[in-house]
């Protein structure tokens, strides 16, 4: 029944108004009654004392019956709602104006009488009504002067009290049903009308507020179904929670769209990678199989030198196959990492010398001058030494590979502020401008390269990934025909001692 937010809000609103209405009616009834009593008591405050002044009701402890009769009669004429009682000093009822047999009490409580005589400001003061055993009413009271004196004093107690009940039974019968009052009826009607109008206004307002939520919900539903998000009907730049929700939802939808696009891109890349991998594996594998089959077929007829040549080619293919597989594995491992395994301070100058040493023979064979020029005083670098070694190897290997005989390859290290700058320069073929942005991609091989089977296009991708894991990147500049300049930076382990070049 209360499944929608609107129904819940409406129920709460109606409930609150009902509660408020009931409270208001009850408080009006009680307040009006008390107010009437207060006014009554206030207006008639002096009634008892003026009556007592008029006649001498008691002399020397005895009731003056005649005077009392006159007072009773006088009052019956002026206001029949009033009842008069004569009390002794202890509150016992001595005489009364009410019809005989209607008085149910023998005495009344003196405390309210004392409060009244002390002129308490708290009105109405309710005193015992002798005509009801547990009823209380507003009254007026006066002390009767003590024996032989005209006014009561502190030392001599009064002979008794003249106790006047103001709202008698008849009066109550007239005043009790407040609904009889025209003014009250009108005010109640006005109150009900205000409550109803406010309720209607509240319901309309809630409807409008929840309407915006409903429209947002339906838009979200549509987004869930077909992934499209239309803009809100009102383009108000609101600041309330619903507008915020709307904005946040829109942001979330954009983010989801972005992620879906990224996922699609990654998926396309993955598919391309699988295609490349299978192609790159298939080529050397097919060549390998071709040579081996030829060897098998012509086992007895092949001259030994040819056999040897076939075997050597097959071995070369199997080697490049092995290298490709291990490079792929290396790249996959690097890609799954968030950071290098461990960073340590190491001497970059020593590492550069060691790596160039490894390539010295190959360079001599190619007749390329390989130079390493690290300065003798250099702070330690901070990085993973095995990984940085791999980067240097890949860069020097490429430089040698793409530099023809007579050229040179130079590896240098410089200190720049807190970092160490490594450069690998060659005077080789250079890289075509259209290839430059893509040479770090997996499997990308430049068109103006050396024989294809030499590299799988993974070397630079691996080097770049390693630098990324170190928080840096490799940069390249190249002039086709003149050579290439690769460089990267490593942070220096500032606290580490200076290293000597090896
Ligand atoms: P590969 O195994 O083919 O060398 P890399 O990822 O190492 O793969 O390099 C990608 C491409 O970048 C190479 O095919 C080549 O065209 C180009 N390249 C890399 N280094 C050099 C260089 N020093 N001089 C000229 N071209 C280079």
């Amino acid at each position: 029944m209360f499944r929608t937010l609107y129904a819940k809000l409406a129920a709460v609103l109606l409930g609150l108004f009902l509660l408020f209405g009931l409270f208001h009616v009850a408080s009006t009834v009680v307040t009006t009654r008390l107010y009437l009593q207060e006014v009554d008591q206030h207006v008639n405050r002096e009634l008892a004392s003026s009556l007592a002044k008029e006649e001498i009701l008691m002399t020397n402890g005895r009731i003056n019956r005649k005077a009392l009769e006159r007072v009773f009669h006088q009052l019956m004429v002026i206001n029949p709602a009033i009842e008069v009682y004569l009390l002794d000093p202890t509150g016992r009822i001595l005489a009364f104006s009410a019809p005989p047999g209607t008085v149910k009490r023998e005495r009344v409580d003196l405390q309210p009488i004392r409060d009244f005589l002390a002129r308490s400001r708290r009105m109405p003061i309710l005193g015992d009504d002798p005509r009801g055993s547990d009823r209380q009413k507003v009254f007026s009271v006066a002390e009767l002067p003590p024996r032989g004196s005209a006014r009561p004093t502190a030392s001599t107690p009064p002979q008794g009290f003249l106790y006047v009940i103001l709202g008698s039974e008849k009066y109550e019968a007239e005043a009790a049903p407040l609904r009889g009052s025209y003014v009250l009826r009108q005010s109640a009607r006005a109150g009900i009308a205000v409550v109803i109008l406010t309720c209607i206004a509240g319901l309309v307002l809630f409807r409008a507020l929840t309407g915006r939520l409903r429209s947002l919900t339906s838009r979200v539903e549509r987004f869930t179904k077909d992934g499209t998000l239309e803009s809100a009907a009102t383009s108000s730049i609101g600041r309330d929670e619903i507008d915020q929700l709307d904005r946040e939802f829109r942001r979330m939808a954009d983010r989801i769209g972005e992620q879906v696009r990224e996922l699609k891109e990654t998926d396309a890349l993955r598919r391309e990678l699988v295609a490349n991998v299978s192609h790159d594996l298939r080529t050397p594998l097919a060549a390998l199989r071709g040579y081996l089959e030829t060897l098998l077929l012509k086992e007895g007829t092949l001259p030994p030198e040819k056999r040897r040549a076939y075997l050597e080619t097959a071995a070369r293919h199997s080697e490049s196959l092995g290298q490709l597989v291990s490079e792929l594995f290396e790249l996959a491992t690097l890609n799954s990492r968030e950071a290098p395994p461990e960073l340590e301070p190491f001497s970059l100058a020593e590492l550069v010398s060691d790596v160039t040493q490894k390539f010295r023979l190959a360079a001599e064979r190619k007749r390329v001058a390989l130079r390493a020029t690290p300065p003798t005083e250099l702070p330690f670098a901070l990085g993973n030494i095995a990984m940085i070694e791999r980067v240097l190897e890949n860069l020097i290997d490429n430089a040698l590979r793409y530099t023809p005989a007579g050229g040179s390859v130079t590896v240098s290290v410089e200190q720049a502020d807190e970092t160490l700058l490594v450069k690998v320069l060659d005077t080789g073929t250079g890289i075509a401008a259209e290839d430059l942005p893509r040479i770090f991609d997996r499997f990308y091989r430049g068109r103006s390269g050396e024989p294809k089977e030499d590299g799988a296009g993974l070397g630079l991708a691996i080097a770049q990934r390693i630098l990324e894991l170190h928080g840096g990147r490799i940069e390249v500049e190249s002039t086709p025909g003149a050579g290439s300049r690769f460089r990267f930076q490593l942070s220096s382990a500032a606290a580490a001692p200076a290293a000597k070049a090896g």
Side-chain angles (χ1 to χ4, degrees), residues 85-94 103-114 126-133 135-137 139 141 161-165:
Y85 298 86
L86 199 67
L87 311 177
D88 77 357
T90 65
R92 200 158 60 83
I93 298 170
L94 301 174
V103 174
K104 306 221 169 65
R105 285 179 194 262
E106 281 194 0
R107 56 173 68 246
V108 296
D109 187 9
L110 283 182
Q111 190 52 47
I113 293 175
R114 279 190 212 110
L126 296 180
D128 288 342
D129 176 15
R131 291 181 64 171
S133 45
R135 249 185 352 204
Q136 293 210 307
K137 287 195 169 161
F139 61 91
V141 73
F161 300 100
L162 186 69
Y163 187 60
V164 183
I165 290 289

Side-chain angles (χ1 to χ4, degrees), residues 398-399 401-402 426 429-431 439 444-446 455-457 459-460 484 486:
N398 276 349
R401 195 157 1 126
Y402 298 105
D426 67 59
T429 55
I431 305 163
I439 56 167
Y444 190 81
R445 277 173 293 208
L460 285 183
S484 312
F486 286 84

Side-chain angles (χ1 to χ4, degrees), residues 327 394-395 397-403 426 428-431 435 438-441 443-450 452 454-462 478 483-484 486:
E327 278 188 350
N394 285 1
L395 292 180
D397 183 47
N398 276 349
L400 283 176
R401 195 157 1 126
Y402 298 105
T403 304
D426 67 59
T429 55
I431 305 163
D435 286 340
R438 299 201 57 196
I439 56 167
F440 294 103
D441 291 355
F443 290 108
Y444 190 81
R445 277 173 293 208
R447 265 155 279 176
S448 56
E450 285 276 286
K452 292 285 179 215
D454 250 23
L458 290 175
L460 285 183
I462 289 172
S478 184
S484 312
F486 286 84

Side-chain angles (χ1 to χ4, degrees), residues 38 41 45 115-116 119-126:
E38 183 185 358
Q41 196 164 38
R45 187 178 249 289
D115 288 346
F116 185 94
R119 305 198 79 81
S120 163
R121 287 189 150 274
R122 280 188 55 195
M123 291 226 183
I125 303 169
L126 296 180

